[in-house]
């Protein structure tokens, strides 16, 4: 089945932007599983907003920069911190029900790295409540259509006036077993991260780096992929099966409300590592926990909040309490066994301040994107806020591009609609038993390789060996892709291998330890390394584990505004470039 561009523009999202762009045209929400399945649903802690009169945007900016080890883009940080309160209050107007104080004001909690209470939350299920409010509004909008259980395989792109433009995506209907080409003047990726590239992650099974891999294959610039955040406190199940491929997260807010970390001898250990104790940034706490586990030969540490009143615990953390109770742990009486687990990717598809990428027609926001907000480490509860702010910022620019594309790229859009060919290796196909077993075994090898060679603490030798093996795996996966047809399990493995290779290659480029990237061979921060790692080169450019990145594909110093270039020709496309430039200027002012 093919859809022409006149019938259905497409935007891929999990945030606020479809409700706004739906005012200008029809929107398709293409989602791999059901609409509410993704990392947003499992976000516990909250969403930041400077709402206390004793707090300030400047403090929030400073906290974000410190957590990000000053690798952040200051313009992106200022935009999110300044525009964040309005975005959060708009969620309230949309129907999100956050926890309130007795006087009806929003209750603000604290988390690691924050100098003030500024975390708005819905008990300990904040993401679920935000998702509920957004999906309810979207499903009641006649201009928005949901395509659930539809898995995007690759972006559709073509040359227009000498520059590659994104024209939509080829999508697998996983239930019907058919392929569809969604053609549109604007495509927005909000596909989340790639947590499943690690064996232990708080991310659900759908987070296989799909948007990042698709964008990279389309030659989008990827930035800061080495900065992988490991949440310090995921529930330690002792080897028991995990739900939906994810480890249950024990929110940072638990430490914000007085939780204390102990080793298994009930010795409080954070005073040995950081003056901020349990409220140090996540990278510091995660490395401290791992250091304790390695020195003592222990499988986990303990997080204790039982010294707080039971009523307070049950009021703020009912979901965590219920989940722990299922494993026989009463958190009002007993400490919680915890261990670090992959949680968030600070890198991704490089964007400008309007969510625009270096490919006209392709936008990105949320975890799939690298906006420059997080730098080398994400400040707690800044992720939901980033998605809200950048989804809003992408609206004007995407509408502007859609108007340009419909005038200047009509023939290309029409050609994309009528030229889809889903035969041969592009046709959906069931896997043989042997192929299925190979995919499962290879995926296990891949995740183990990522943990052992690019985990919390890294070294150059292991990363080089890991990248060499990953390169080989990628070639094997690509060979199977060409001969086996389109299949969910194979596409996920292809995407995970791509993301793993990008993480490893980016990590090898950074000759220092900064934020989430800690390399024992370069244990200190180096000021000459204070720039984003940007990779756009083909994955075939490798030499014994070292990616060769030319000066044209890797920026050694961030440009003002950290805005990705939009390649356009000097003729008709210049109009669109001028309009995007105008929008950026308005936003930055």
């Amino acid at each position: 089945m093919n859809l022409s561009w006149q019938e259905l523009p497409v935007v891929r999202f999990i945030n606020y932007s479809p409700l706004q762009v739906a005012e200008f045209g029809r929107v398709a929400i293409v989602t791999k599983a059901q609409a509410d399945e993704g990392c947003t649903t499992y976000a516990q802690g909250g969403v930041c907003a400077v709402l206390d009169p004793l707090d300030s945007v400047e403090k929030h900016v400073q906290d974000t920069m410190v957590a990000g080890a000053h690798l952040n883009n200051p313009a992106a940080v200022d935009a999110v911190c300044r525009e964040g309160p309005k975005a959060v209050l708009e969620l309230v107007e949309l129907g999100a029900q956050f926890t309130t104080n007795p006087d009806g004001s929003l209750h603000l909690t604290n988390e690691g790295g924050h100098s003030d209470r500024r975390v708005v939350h819905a008990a300990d299920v904040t993401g679920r409540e935000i998702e509920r409010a957004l999906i309810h509004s979207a499903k009641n909008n006649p201009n928005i259509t949901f395509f659930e259980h539809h898995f995007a395989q690759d972006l559709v792109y073509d040359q227009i006036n000498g520059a590659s433009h994104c024209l939509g995506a080829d999508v697998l209907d996983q239930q019907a077993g058919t392929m569809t080409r969604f053609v549109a003047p604007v495509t927005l990726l909000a596909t989340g991260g790639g947590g499943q590239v690690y064996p232990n992650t708080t991310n659900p099974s759908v987070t296989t780096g799909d948007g990042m891999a698709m964008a990279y294959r389309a030659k989008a610039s990827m930035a800061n992929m080495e900065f992988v955040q490991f949440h310090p406190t995921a529930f330690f199940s002792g080897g028991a099966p995990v739900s939906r491929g994810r480890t249950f997260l024990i929110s940072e807010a638990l430490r914000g409300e007085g939780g204390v970390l102990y080793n298994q001898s009930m010795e409080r250990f954070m005073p040995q590592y950081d003056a901020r104790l349990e409220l140090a940034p996540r990278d510091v706490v995660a490395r401290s926990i791992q250091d304790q586990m390695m020195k003592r030969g222990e499988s986990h540490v303990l997080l204790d909040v039982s010294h707080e009143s039971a009523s307070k615990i049950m009021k703020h953390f009912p979901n965590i309490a219920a989940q722990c109770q299922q494993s026989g742990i009463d958190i009002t009486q007993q400490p919680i066994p915890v261990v670090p687990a992959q949680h968030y990717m600070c890198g991704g598809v490089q964007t400008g301040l309007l969510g625009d990428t270096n490919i006209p027609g392709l936008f990105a926001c949320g975890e799939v994107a690298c906006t420059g907000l997080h730098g080398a480490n994400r400040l707690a509860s800044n992720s939901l806020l980033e998605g809200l702010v950048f989804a809003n910022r992408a609206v004007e620019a995407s509408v502007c591009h859609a108007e340009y594309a419909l005038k200047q790229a009509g023939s290309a859009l029409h050609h994309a609609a009528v030229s889809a060919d889903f035969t041969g290796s592009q046709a959906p196909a069931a896997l043989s038993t042997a192929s299925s077993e190979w995919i499962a075994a290879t995926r296990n090898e891949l995740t183990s390789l990522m943990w052992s060679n690019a985990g919390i603490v890294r070294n150059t030798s292991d990363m080089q060996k890991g990248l060499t093996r990953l390169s080989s795996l990628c070639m094997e996966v690509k060979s199977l892709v060409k001969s086996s047809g389109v299949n969910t399990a194979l596409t996920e493995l292809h995407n995970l291998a791509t993301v793993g290779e990008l993480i490893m290659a980016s990590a090898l480029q950074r000759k220092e330890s900064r934020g989430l990237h800690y390399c024992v061979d370069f244990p200190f921060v180096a000021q000459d390394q204070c720039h984003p790692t940007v990779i756009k080169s083909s994955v075939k450019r490798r030499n014994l584990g070292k990616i060769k990145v030319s000066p044209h594909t890797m920026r050694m110093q961030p440009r003002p505004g950290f805005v990705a270039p939009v390649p356009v020709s000097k003729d008709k496309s210049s109009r669109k470039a001028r309009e995007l430039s105008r929008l950026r200027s308005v936003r930055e002012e």
Side-chain angles (χ1 to χ4, degrees):
M1 176 182 177
N2 294 327
L3 297 175
S4 69
W5 60 268
Q6 293 97 334
E7 292 171 327
L8 192 63
V10 57
V11 176
R12 308 187 65 253
F13 94 112
I14 298 183
N15 50 45
Y16 197 46
S17 63
L19 294 170
Q20 297 166 296
V21 296
E23 299 175 17
F24 302 93
R26 298 176 63 192
V27 178
I29 297 175
V30 179
T31 177
K32 185 176 177 180
Q34 63 269 27
D36 62 354
E37 177 65 357
C39 289
T40 299
T41 297
Y42 301 101
Q44 296 174 357
V47 55
C48 296
V50 176
L51 297 173
D52 188 327
L54 298 179
D55 195 7
S56 69
V57 169
E58 289 72 24
K59 288 183 182 179
H60 190 187
V61 166
Q62 177 64 11
D63 291 344
T64 301
M65 295 292 294
V66 169
H70 297 279
L71 196 71
N72 326 62
N73 170 19
V77 175
D78 185 78
V80 170
C81 297
R82 199 167 298 282
E83 298 170 22
K86 180 175 181 290
V88 171
L89 294 177
E90 285 176 347
L91 283 179
V92 176
E93 293 176 7
L94 203 64
Q97 298 177 5
F98 295 118
T99 300
T100 57
N101 295 309
D103 63 0
S105 61
L106 292 173
H107 179 267
L108 304 176
T109 190
N110 197 6
E111 292 184 337
H114 289 275
S115 56
D116 282 271
R117 287 180 171 264
R118 64 171 71 97
V119 181
V120 177
H121 63 106
D124 57 351
V125 289
T126 308
R128 185 190 305 171
E129 175 57 21
I130 291 174
E131 187 109 65
R132 180 203 63 78
L134 290 172
I135 290 178
H136 175 76
S137 296
K139 286 193 170 181
N140 283 287
N141 190 310
N143 277 355
I144 299 176
T145 304
F146 282 80
F147 292 86
E148 296 180 299
H149 303 286
H150 281 63
F151 184 12
Q153 301 294 300
D154 267 310
L155 297 172
V156 177
Y157 54 96
D158 200 359
Q159 294 288 314
I160 300 173
N161 294 327
S164 181
H165 284 56
C166 182
L167 304 173
D170 287 337
V171 177
L172 171 66
D173 181 337
Q174 298 175 97
Q175 294 180 328
T178 58
M179 289 290 294
T180 300
R181 173 162 289 182
F182 285 77
V183 181
V186 172
T187 300
L188 185 142
L189 294 171
T191 50
Q196 290 291 323
V197 78
Y198 286 92
N200 193 26
T201 177
T202 63
N203 293 184
S205 60
V206 294
T207 54
T208 51
D210 308 319
M212 294 175 179
M214 285 193 300
Y216 180 69
R217 288 194 290 269
K219 296 182 173 54
S221 297
M222 308 299 295
N224 290 348
M225 291 292 287
E226 68 268 38
F227 297 115
V228 179
Q229 187 177 80
F230 291 84
H231 198 287
T233 54
F235 185 79
F236 176 73
S237 61
V242 295
S243 175
R244 298 188 181 184
R246 61 180 294 273
T247 302
F248 183 70
L249 173 69
I250 305 299
S251 171
E252 186 141 1
L254 206 71
R255 284 178 282 131
E257 293 297 331
V260 178
L261 286 164
Y262 297 97
N263 57 36
Q264 291 184 33
S265 296
M266 291 305 293
E267 299 167 340
R268 188 179 187 183
F269 57 83
M270 280 308 298
Q272 302 175 32
Y273 297 97
D274 196 281
R276 292 163 291 186
L277 305 175
E278 282 78 11
L279 291 181
R282 289 177 178 176
D283 61 318
V284 175
V285 180
R287 284 196 296 273
S288 302
I289 291 174
Q290 188 187 47
D291 186 59
Q292 282 287 303
M293 290 165 54
M294 292 181 68
K295 283 180 177 177
R296 297 173 57 85
E298 296 175 348
S299 60
H300 62 280
V301 297
L302 302 169
L303 176 60
D304 190 25
V305 73
S306 62
H307 52 278
E308 300 289 341
S309 70
S311 59
K312 175 183 176 181
I313 294 170
M314 297 307 295
K315 177 182 178 181
H316 291 303
F317 309 108
N319 184 49
I320 292 175
Q323 289 287 336
C324 290
Q325 191 65 60
Q326 291 180 12
S327 297
I329 295 172
D330 178 357
I331 68 171
T332 67
Q333 302 291 326
Q334 301 167 270
I336 307 167
V338 294
V339 65
Q342 191 284 337
H343 183 57
Y344 189 86
M345 296 182 68
C346 291
V349 184
Q350 188 184 30
T351 74
L353 294 177
L354 303 177
D356 52 307
T357 72
N358 64 312
I359 302 175
L362 180 65
F363 293 76
C365 69
E367 190 174 353
V368 69
C370 181
T371 65
L373 170 67
H374 305 305
N377 182 26
R378 175 174 70 86
L379 181 66
S381 288
N382 261 357
S383 54
L384 291 174
L385 187 67
E386 178 191 37
L388 291 170
V389 170
F390 272 89
N392 179 59
R393 285 180 148 254
V395 172
E396 277 188 273
S398 61
V399 171
C400 168
H401 178 83
E403 292 174 350
Y404 152 82
L406 291 174
K407 292 177 182 177
Q408 304 294 334
S411 60
L413 287 163
H414 177 72
H415 180 262
V418 300
S419 64
D421 179 10
F422 299 125
T423 60
S425 64
Q426 300 302 311
L431 291 168
S432 67
T433 300
S435 292
S436 295
E437 291 175 351
W438 183 86
I439 288 171
T442 302
R443 182 160 169 171
N444 286 336
E445 180 186 357
L446 170 66
T447 58
S448 297
L449 189 69
M450 290 302 298
W451 175 246
S452 60
N453 295 57
I456 298 174
V457 177
R458 304 163 176 174
N459 68 74
T460 302
S461 176
D462 282 349
M463 288 189 290
Q464 288 175 339
K465 292 174 184 176
L467 185 54
T468 299
R469 178 56 184 147
L470 274 174
S471 300
S472 177
L473 284 180
C474 281
M475 295 303 180
E476 295 173 34
V477 172
K478 288 179 181 178
S479 177
L480 187 58
V481 167
K482 291 178 180 178
S483 62
S484 298
V486 179
N487 176 275
T488 295
L490 183 54
T491 301
E492 287 186 335
L493 178 59
H494 188 195
N495 292 340
L496 286 169
T498 301
V499 169
E501 195 170 32
L502 285 167
I503 291 171
M504 206 85 76
S506 296
L508 281 166
Q509 295 296 328
R510 187 161 292 280
K511 308 301 183 185
E512 66 166 351
S513 289
R514 184 185 295 268
L516 300 168
H517 173 70
Y518 186 85
C519 180
V520 296
D521 301 303
F522 304 96
F524 304 110
V525 172
Q527 289 309 309
D528 65 348
Q529 294 282 305
C530 191
H531 53 74
T533 305
V534 181
I535 291 181
K536 189 180 176 182
S537 64
S538 166
V539 293
K540 293 181 180 179
R541 284 185 169 183
R542 56 176 70 91
N543 178 21
L544 297 177
K546 295 183 179 180
I547 292 288
K548 296 179 181 178
V549 184
S550 74
H552 301 292
T553 57
M554 177 178 173
R555 291 206 300 270
M556 295 308 294
Q557 294 294 338
R559 296 182 302 177
F562 191 20
V563 176
V566 180
V568 294
S569 67
K570 295 182 180 179
D571 45 34
K572 296 178 181 178
S573 298
S574 60
R575 233 174 300 164
K576 182 244 182 180
R578 286 196 299 271
E579 181 62 12
L580 271 177
S581 178
R582 181 190 68 78
L583 286 170
R584 287 194 187 100
S585 298
V586 171
R587 287 292 191 186
E588 291 172 8
E589 288 172 3

